[in-house]
Structures are given as C-alpha cells and as structure tokens.
C-alpha cells in the first residue's frame, strides 16, 4: 500500500488497483486525535447525574446513568466475545479462518469502541428532545413484540440495502473499505467502521427502540435487551468461531434464514459480493445475494474435529502474576505491545493470583498463540505455572510431568521441533531437557533448549575490541559456553563463582593456550575496573554498585535485573527479530517488541528451518555457536544489536 496523494491510498490487490480515500466527508471520527482522552467525553454524563442526585436530590437525570451503564455493558459484551474468540485452546478446531490476526489489523481496530461514545451522545440528544422517554416503565411485554416487529420489518431490510449501497463502486472506496481492511474477522471488527457508517447504524438501532417508545410500548428492559442483543449478534457474526451446530439447522431448516452464523458473515468478508444481511439471511435470499456455499461450509467447519498439527512448538510458562494478564484472550490490544506494568492491572492482581493458583490444582498445558512462516505452523504452548513455582522443591515433579506430557503430545501429533523456554529447561529441574530425551530415546520430535543461539546472540553483541568481561552465573550452561567462547577469542573472563571445582572443570575444557584467559573471582568488587558485565544471575543494587561508571550490562537472567545505575547502560534479554515473511503474529512475547522473540525461541525455529535431526539438550556445544548463528542469519532472523 502506498500513498498517491494526500487522503488517497493506492492498494494493489491481486488483479486490480483500488483507490481508497481517507478524507471523504464524515470518514474520520471527531475525537480521532484525542487518543485515550476520548473517554473524558463520558465525563459530562457522570457529572450531570451526580449533580442531579446529590445537589438537586432528584433522579430526573437518571437517563445519564442508564447511558453510562449501557455503554459499559456493551463494551463488556465485545470484550467477552474477544476473550472467547482468542481462547485458541477452546475453539481452534472451529475457527472459520485458520489465519492469525496480525499487528496491522490490531492497530486498525484499536479504536473499535468509538461507536459507543457516538451512540451515547446521540442518545443524550434524543433524551433532551423527548423528555418523556425518561418516564418509560421498567417492563412492558408488548414492547418486546413491537421491537421485534420493527427490527424484522424495517431495520433488517434498511441495513441490507444500505450495506449493498456501501459496496457500490462509488461508496466503497470512500467509506466501507475501512471495515473490510480487516482480513480476519474478530468481535472488535464489528465496531471498526467510519463515522458515517456508525451514524447510519444509529438509525438502524434507533428504529426498533425509539419506535417502540413512541407508540407507547417502550420500557427500560426493551432498551437494554435489544441494544445488548444487537451487539451480541454483531460480535457473533464477526467472531471467526463457529458456535452454531449444523445439526440445529438440520432439525430446524427455517432457522438458517432467521439467524446468521460466523461462517455466513465470514464469506461476506472474503468475497464481498454476497451475504449482506444484518442478522437474517432471509433478506439475502430475497435479494438474490445469498452465497450458495454458506451452508456446506458451515457444515464442514462446525463438524470439524481434527486440527492441523504444528511444525514447531515453543513451550513457555507464566513469568509472574502481573504478566499473566498479558494475554490476547484477556486484553488483545495490551498483548500486542511489549509487556510493562500498567495501573489498570493492579486492581485485577488478586483475581489473577487466584486464577494462577487454581491452574496449579487442575490445568494442563494449553495453546496460547500461533503464527505462520513459509508454510509452517508455529505455536506457543503455555505450561500453567508461574516463575515463583519453579523454585518450590515440592513443585518440581509436577512441572516436569507437565513438560513431559507436552513433549509426548507433540511427538504423538507430529510436531517436528519443541523448544523449551526459560525455566522449563532449568538445569536443576530437568538438566536442560536431558531428562526427557534419556527417558524417551525414541522421540520423533526434536527437543531443543535453544541456548546455543542465545549464547551466539550475546556473544555477537559484545564489541570485538573488548578484552575483558565480568561474568556472573559463570558455571551455568550459558555461562560456561560464553566463557569458553570468549577465552578462544583471547578475551579475559572474570568468572564469578565460589566453587573452585566447577571453575577448574570449565577451565580444563578450554584449549591449553586459552586457559589463562579464564580467571576465578569470588565477589563483584574484583570487577570494579571492568566495564563489560554479563549477568547470568540475579544482581542486587549493592552488587551493581561495584561496576565502574559507563559499564554496559549484558544479561541472560530471567527475569531481567532492575537497572539501578543511571550512569550505566543495560541490555535486554537475548532476542532476534523474526523474518519478514512471518504472518498472523499479533502477540508480543513478554517484554519483547513486535516481531521479536527470545533467542531460545529463535533457536528452535532455526532448528526447524534447517531440518536438523539432533536434540539440543544439556551442555552447549561451543563449536556449534557460530554454526547456529550463521544459520539464523541465513533464514532471515536478525539480531537487535551486534558488535558492529
């Protein structure tokens, strides 16, 4: 996509070129530039209600409260549908489109809730012009019947013809392309449209609700139930998850013309020439725009029981309670940016903590996210355990059992490579994966810890002119490999360890002429002249204080250390940027940026792309560090930083 003139975008789409205008009248939202401050537009409603209730001691402005409650409930309906739509572990076999939603679509739909503000404002104008609406009763059964008649008889055909008109060659490039730029439907796609389109939708919603009130049958329950049902069905059609069983349509054939299904509306987004109805396919049948493949495709999807096996699995775990809420099935927009602690998360911390404890009692490894690369399906599975649980001695056996079950399941369904993340490959837990490989020698799936590439990333970040480094966590898998590699490069390595036996064992692995470059130190004070620190073990503020000003901290400790020193610089965890041909990725990996994954994740991906048939578990083969690094670069993975 490229900009031709201001307000015009040129889109190359297969065999045709489409001019999409972004400066048409009533295209943009009036509060487009307010960002999150747009929510202050709800302020007058709250202020008016509070003023009326506490200063006038009157309930005459109770309608303001109803508008606020209704907007909150409507937002909740969309959020709950989004949660369900992104629960891949529940609905992966019944997804209409098997493609993932990428960052671009998430950004386009970021302000999906603009229509709630619009309809709140429109509702206030209606109440101010018709004060009698404030006196409607709580319930009137005649109103439900009248509302349904007005919806079927007026709103449905009105929306159908407006929708067809918006697909005309004149109006589609001006307005409706904005809604259809979402390639994969999602509940938030329902709200993603231009200002003009939502003004028209206000008319569609207003006819049954206000019409019922004007004929004398209006009630608060009709207002709430119709509007919430309207949003519910809009989200249903855009959910991309088929929830209506085909057997229901078979038992009641007429039902297929009364209520649409996600498959039906997804076909409209794919082909755009059929299935224009609001909720009732009856009007597509009458207008001769019903896609004949709708019911056969619905049967195929709703009856689907098998799923495509992934080629690669990254087996991760929950880092901590706060980051457990960084999930697409909780807050899609939040999970599409790198994790950081936000104020809105604090009230939910106790609930998240209880959920984590509940998962400890009864939960198995589950599918979290996925993406595609070069025809291969890559998935992230989550072991439902938080970081602190890995350090509880009595929890080790249960965690290893979950990891083992995930490996055996991957082996059974045909996964080629499974990569262990962070603490899932802890040396004290399972020997970096050796426990599982030794226990199951006939595994077809390759078990990979990915630490070889992690070491390569760290080593290639260190400038070539560095001649001395200070290394903590020096006797760990990564620490050992980094020390031996740097010693071969004739770099002096101050290895922090109190175990002379471990140090000597590693030193003897180095070539004889390089052993002198490995030096044992027992405290951080001995590195007070060294400006390159590689942190593989948690470092306290006091320990960091020994580093001279200008020191750069490289690190491979999880979670990363807190940057206490303002006169020093801190590197992030080892990571690589995925190749540009990755599709369907819309979730950030913990604190990593978009399209960036931890090096151990990248290491497993390289293992898959290279077609290697060996397991990568246990100690790191120092001779393979450069081999894996070159393979990663060959396949299009890019370092975030390097020595150049």
């Amino acid at each position: 996509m490229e900009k031709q003139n201001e307000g015009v975008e040129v889109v190359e789409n297969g065999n045709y070129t489409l001019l999409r205008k972004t400066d048409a009248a009533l295209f943009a939202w009036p509060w487009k530039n307010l960002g999150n401050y747009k929510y202050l537009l709800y302020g007058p409603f709250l202020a008016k209600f509070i003023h009326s209730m506490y200063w006038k001691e009157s309930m005459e402005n109770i309608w303001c409260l109803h508008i606020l409650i209704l907007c909150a409930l409507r937002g909740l309906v969309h959020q709950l549908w989004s949660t369900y739509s992104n629960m891949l572990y529940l609905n992966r076999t019944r997804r209409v489109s098997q493609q993932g939603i990428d960052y671009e679509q998430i950004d386009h739909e970021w302000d999906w809730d603009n229509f709630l503000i619009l309809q709140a404002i429109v509702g206030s104008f209606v109440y101010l012009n018709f004060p009698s609406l404030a006196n409607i009763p709580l319930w009137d059964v005649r109103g439900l019947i009248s509302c349904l008649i007005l919806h079927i008889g007026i709103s449905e055909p009105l929306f159908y013809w407006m929708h067809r008109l918006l697909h005309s060659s004149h109006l589609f490039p001006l307005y409706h392309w904005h809604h259809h730029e979402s390639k994969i439907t999602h509940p938030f796609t329902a709200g993603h449209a231009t200002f003009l389109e939502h003004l028209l939708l206000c008319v569609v919603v207003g006819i049954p609700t206000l019409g019922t009130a004007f004929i004398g049958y209006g009630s608060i329950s009709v207002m709430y139930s119709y509007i919430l049902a309207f949003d519910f069905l809009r989200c249903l059609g855009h959910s991309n998850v088929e929830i209506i069983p085909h057997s229901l349509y078979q038992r009641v054939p007429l039902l297929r013309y009364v209520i649409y299904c996600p498959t039906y509306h997804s076909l409209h987004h794919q082909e755009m020439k059929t299935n224009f109805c609001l909720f009732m396919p009856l009007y597509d049948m009458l207008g001769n725009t019903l896609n004949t493949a709708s019911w056969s495709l619905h049967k195929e999807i709703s009856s689907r029981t098998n799923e495509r096996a992934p080629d690669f699995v990254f087996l991760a775990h929950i880092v901590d309670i706060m980051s457990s809420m960084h999930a697409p099935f909780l807050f899609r927009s939040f999970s599409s940016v790198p994790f950081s602690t936000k104020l809105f998360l604090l009230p939910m911390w106790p609930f998240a903590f209880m959920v984590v404890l509940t998962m400890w009692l009864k939960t198995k490894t589950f599918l979290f996210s996925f993406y595609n690369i070069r025809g291969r399906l890559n998935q992230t599975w989550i072991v439902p355990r938080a970081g602190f649980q890995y350090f509880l001695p009595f929890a080790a056996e249960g965690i290893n059992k979950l990891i083992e079950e995930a490996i055996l399941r991957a082996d059974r369904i045909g996964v080629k490579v499974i990569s262990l993340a962070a603490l899932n490959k802890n040396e004290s837990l399972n020997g970096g994966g050796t426990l599982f490989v030794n226990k199951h020698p006939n595994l077809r799936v390759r078990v990979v810890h990915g630490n070889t590439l992690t070491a390569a990333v760290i080593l290639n970040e260190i400038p070539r002119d560095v001649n001395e480094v200070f290394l903590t966590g020096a006797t760990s898998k990564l620490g050992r490999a980094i020390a031996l590699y740097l010693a071969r490069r004739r770099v002096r390595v101050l290895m922090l360890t109190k175990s002379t036996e471990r140090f000597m064992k590693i030193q003897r692995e180095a070539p004889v002429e390089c052993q002198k470059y490995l030096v044992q130190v027992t405290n951080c004070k001995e590195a007070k002249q060294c400006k390159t620190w590689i942190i593989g073990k948690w470092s306290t503020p006091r320990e960091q204080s020994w580093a001279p000003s200008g020191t750069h901290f490289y690190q491979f400790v999880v979670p990363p250390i807190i940057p206490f020193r303002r006169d020093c610089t801190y590197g992030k965890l080892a990571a690589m940027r995925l190749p540009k041909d990755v599709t369907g990725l819309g979730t950030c990996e913990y604190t990593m940026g978009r399209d960036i994954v931890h090096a151990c994740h990248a290491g497993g991906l390289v293992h898959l792309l290279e077609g290697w048939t060996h397991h990568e578990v246990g100690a790191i083969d120092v001779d393979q560090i450069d081999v894996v690094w070159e393979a990663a670069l060959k396949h299009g993975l890019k370092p975030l930083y390097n020595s150049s």
Side-chain angles (χ1 to χ4, degrees):
M1 183 174 69
E2 62 181 24
K3 288 193 175 182
Q4 187 183 52
N5 297 306
E6 188 174 351
V8 179
E9 292 177 348
V10 180
V11 181
E12 297 293 341
N13 190 353
N15 298 321
Y16 67 91
T17 300
L18 177 66
L19 294 181
R20 306 194 309 194
K21 298 186 179 181
T22 58
D23 60 352
L26 300 179
F27 178 92
W29 292 85
W31 45 86
K32 175 183 178 181
N33 296 323
L34 291 182
N36 287 335
Y37 291 109
K38 69 183 181 182
Y39 298 112
L40 294 177
L41 295 172
Y42 289 115
F45 295 94
L46 183 61
K48 190 172 181 65
F49 171 71
I50 293 175
H51 178 266
S52 174
M53 187 173 182
Y54 290 99
W55 274 269
K56 290 186 177 182
E57 296 184 352
S58 167
M59 298 294 284
E60 65 181 61
N61 291 318
I62 188 69
W63 60 270
C64 291
L65 182 61
H66 281 304
I67 285 177
L68 290 174
I69 292 174
L70 199 50
C71 286
L73 290 175
R74 298 180 75 183
L76 181 62
V77 167
H78 283 77
Q79 177 56 51
L80 291 177
W81 266 108
S82 174
T83 293
Y84 176 71
S85 178
N86 287 305
M87 285 180 168
L88 302 175
Y89 52 91
L90 289 180
N91 57 43
R92 59 186 178 274
T93 60
R94 288 176 286 110
R95 295 181 67 80
V96 180
S97 172
Q98 294 293 320
Q99 299 300 310
I101 295 176
D102 57 22
Y103 296 115
E104 183 180 8
Q105 178 171 334
I106 292 173
D107 288 344
H108 286 156
E109 297 175 351
W110 198 277
D111 293 313
W112 63 270
D113 58 346
N114 276 338
F115 77 97
L116 294 178
I117 300 175
L118 170 65
Q119 294 193 17
I121 295 172
V122 171
S124 68
F125 281 122
V126 171
Y127 269 110
L128 291 173
N129 283 280
F130 302 98
S132 60
L133 290 174
N135 301 317
I136 59 176
L138 178 65
W139 173 261
D140 189 335
V141 69
R142 296 172 299 177
L144 290 174
I145 299 171
S146 301
C147 189
L148 191 60
I149 292 172
L150 289 172
H151 173 83
I152 296 173
I154 301 179
S155 289
E156 281 282 351
L158 177 63
F159 179 90
Y160 174 81
W161 287 109
M162 285 195 308
H163 196 180
R164 288 194 65 172
L165 190 62
L166 286 168
H167 273 267
S168 66
S169 58
H170 177 66
L171 291 181
F172 188 86
L174 290 175
Y175 298 102
H176 202 49
W177 68 265
H178 190 56
H179 178 70
H180 278 277
E181 71 179 345
S182 297
K183 302 178 183 68
I184 313 299
T185 56
H186 181 273
F188 291 165
T189 309
H192 176 60
T194 62
F195 183 63
L196 174 65
E197 290 172 285
H198 275 294
L199 282 174
L200 296 175
L201 205 60
C202 285
V203 176
V204 174
V205 175
I207 288 173
T209 52
L210 296 179
T212 300
F214 291 152
I215 63 177
Y217 298 151
S219 66
I220 294 174
S221 59
V222 166
M223 291 284 186
Y224 274 78
S225 57
Y226 178 80
I227 292 174
L228 293 178
F230 188 94
D231 284 352
F232 182 90
L233 292 174
R234 290 266 292 168
C235 290
L236 165 70
H238 289 88
S239 67
N240 193 42
V241 179
E242 191 51 75
I243 65 170
I244 299 178
H246 186 71
S247 58
L248 183 61
Y249 282 157
Q250 285 182 315
R251 286 196 296 268
V252 189
L254 287 178
L255 191 62
R256 67 181 64 181
Y257 299 105
V258 175
I259 186 72
Y260 74 165
C261 60
T263 304
Y264 188 91
H265 193 67
S266 290
L267 279 172
H268 170 73
H269 274 259
Q270 292 170 19
E271 300 184 6
M272 295 195 292
K273 294 181 180 180
T274 57
N275 296 6
F276 293 99
C277 75
L278 178 55
F279 305 133
M280 301 179 65
L282 169 67
Y283 289 95
D284 276 310
M285 184 188 72
L286 296 175
N288 198 31
T289 54
L290 194 152
N291 192 313
T292 55
S294 299
W295 314 128
S296 58
L297 183 61
H298 174 263
K299 180 180 181 180
E300 176 190 337
I301 293 172
S302 62
S303 306
R304 188 188 295 152
T305 56
N306 296 323
E307 59 175 315
R308 175 187 171 186
D311 299 282
F312 167 71
V313 168
F314 182 57
L315 189 62
H317 63 81
I318 301 168
V319 177
D320 53 38
I321 305 300
M322 198 65 80
S323 66
S324 69
M325 292 178 275
H326 188 246
F329 50 79
L330 289 179
F331 305 106
R332 187 185 74 160
S333 299
F334 178 53
S335 71
S336 72
V337 296
F339 171 76
S340 61
T341 302
K342 303 292 185 182
L343 287 177
F344 77 89
L345 296 176
L346 296 178
M348 292 180 278
W349 191 95
F351 175 74
F353 180 68
M354 294 304 299
V355 171
V356 169
L357 291 183
T358 303
M359 289 195 297
W360 196 354
L361 297 175
K362 190 178 181 181
T363 308
K364 295 183 178 180
T365 300
F366 61 89
L367 172 60
F368 182 77
S369 63
F370 71 94
Y371 63 90
N372 293 276
I373 177 171
R374 299 165 197 170
R376 297 174 174 88
L377 175 62
N378 299 350
Q379 294 181 347
T380 294
W381 295 358
I382 298 293
V383 175
R385 297 293 182 270
F388 73 89
Q389 294 169 304
Y390 283 75
F391 299 98
L392 302 175
F394 58 85
E397 183 179 351
I399 292 173
N400 272 334
K401 184 179 179 182
L402 286 171
I403 298 172
E404 182 180 8
E405 288 175 350
I407 292 173
L408 293 177
R409 178 188 165 207
D411 187 65
R412 186 170 59 254
I413 65 177
V415 175
K416 297 180 177 64
V417 176
I418 183 167
S419 181
L420 307 180
L423 297 174
N424 285 334
K425 58 192 174 194
N426 192 301
E427 193 68 27
S428 60
L429 184 68
N430 50 49
T434 54
L435 173 68
F436 312 115
V437 172
N438 292 337
K439 187 176 179 180
H440 303 283
N442 297 321
L443 285 173
R444 291 170 298 174
V445 62
R446 303 296 94 178
V447 182
V448 174
H449 56 45
N451 283 343
T452 307
L453 186 56
T454 302
V457 170
I458 296 170
L459 289 164
N460 280 278
E461 287 180 0
I462 300 172
R464 294 288 174 176
D465 58 353
V466 168
N467 53 32
E468 183 180 66
V469 302
F470 173 59
L471 177 64
T472 72
T475 58
S476 65
K477 278 199 306 289
L478 273 167
R480 165 193 161 274
I482 290 170
L484 290 172
Y485 188 95
L486 289 174
R488 294 182 182 183
R489 260 174 46 181
R490 306 302 193 265
V491 176
R492 189 167 182 259
V493 183
L494 306 179
M495 299 175 63
L496 179 65
T497 176
K498 293 184 178 180
S499 174
T500 303
E501 181 183 353
R502 287 185 180 182
F503 168 75
M504 294 296 293
K505 182 180 179 182
I506 294 174
Q507 189 182 46
R508 284 194 293 269
E509 289 188 66
V512 175
E513 68 276 13
C514 299
Q515 292 181 3
K516 63 182 179 181
Y517 293 101
L518 300 178
V519 180
Q520 181 185 7
V521 296
T522 56
N523 58 69
C524 296
K525 185 178 179 180
E526 297 180 64
K528 62 183 180 180
Q529 301 300 325
C530 181
K531 287 192 173 185
T532 302
W533 285 36
I534 306 175
I535 307 298
K537 186 177 180 181
W538 182 257
S539 179
T540 65
R542 178 175 175 79
E543 290 170 335
Q544 292 181 41
S545 68
W546 290 110
S549 179
T551 295
H552 183 78
F553 291 87
Y554 300 91
Q555 51 185 318
F556 57 91
V557 59
V558 179
I561 60 174
I562 300 173
F564 290 105
R565 295 283 299 276
R566 293 188 177 182
D567 58 342
C568 298
T569 55
Y570 292 79
K572 295 185 177 181
L573 294 176
M576 297 197 80
R577 188 176 298 279
L578 290 170
K580 292 182 178 180
D581 52 351
V582 164
T583 60
L585 181 60
T587 302
C588 286
E589 197 168 276
Y590 192 37
T591 58
M592 299 291 110
R594 291 183 168 185
D595 295 321
I596 297 172
V597 296
H598 291 90
C600 56
H601 183 151
L605 179 58
V606 170
H607 210 92
L608 170 73
L609 296 175
E610 280 291 303
W612 288 330
T613 57
H614 64 277
H615 295 290
E616 184 193 331
V617 294
I620 297 172
D621 184 350
V622 181
D623 293 329
Q624 288 296 307
I625 290 177
D626 287 333
V627 174
V628 173
W629 176 253
E630 293 298 329
L633 298 181
K634 180 182 74 174
H635 287 289
L637 287 97
K638 296 181 179 179
L640 305 185
Y641 316 98
N642 56 49
S643 57
S644 62

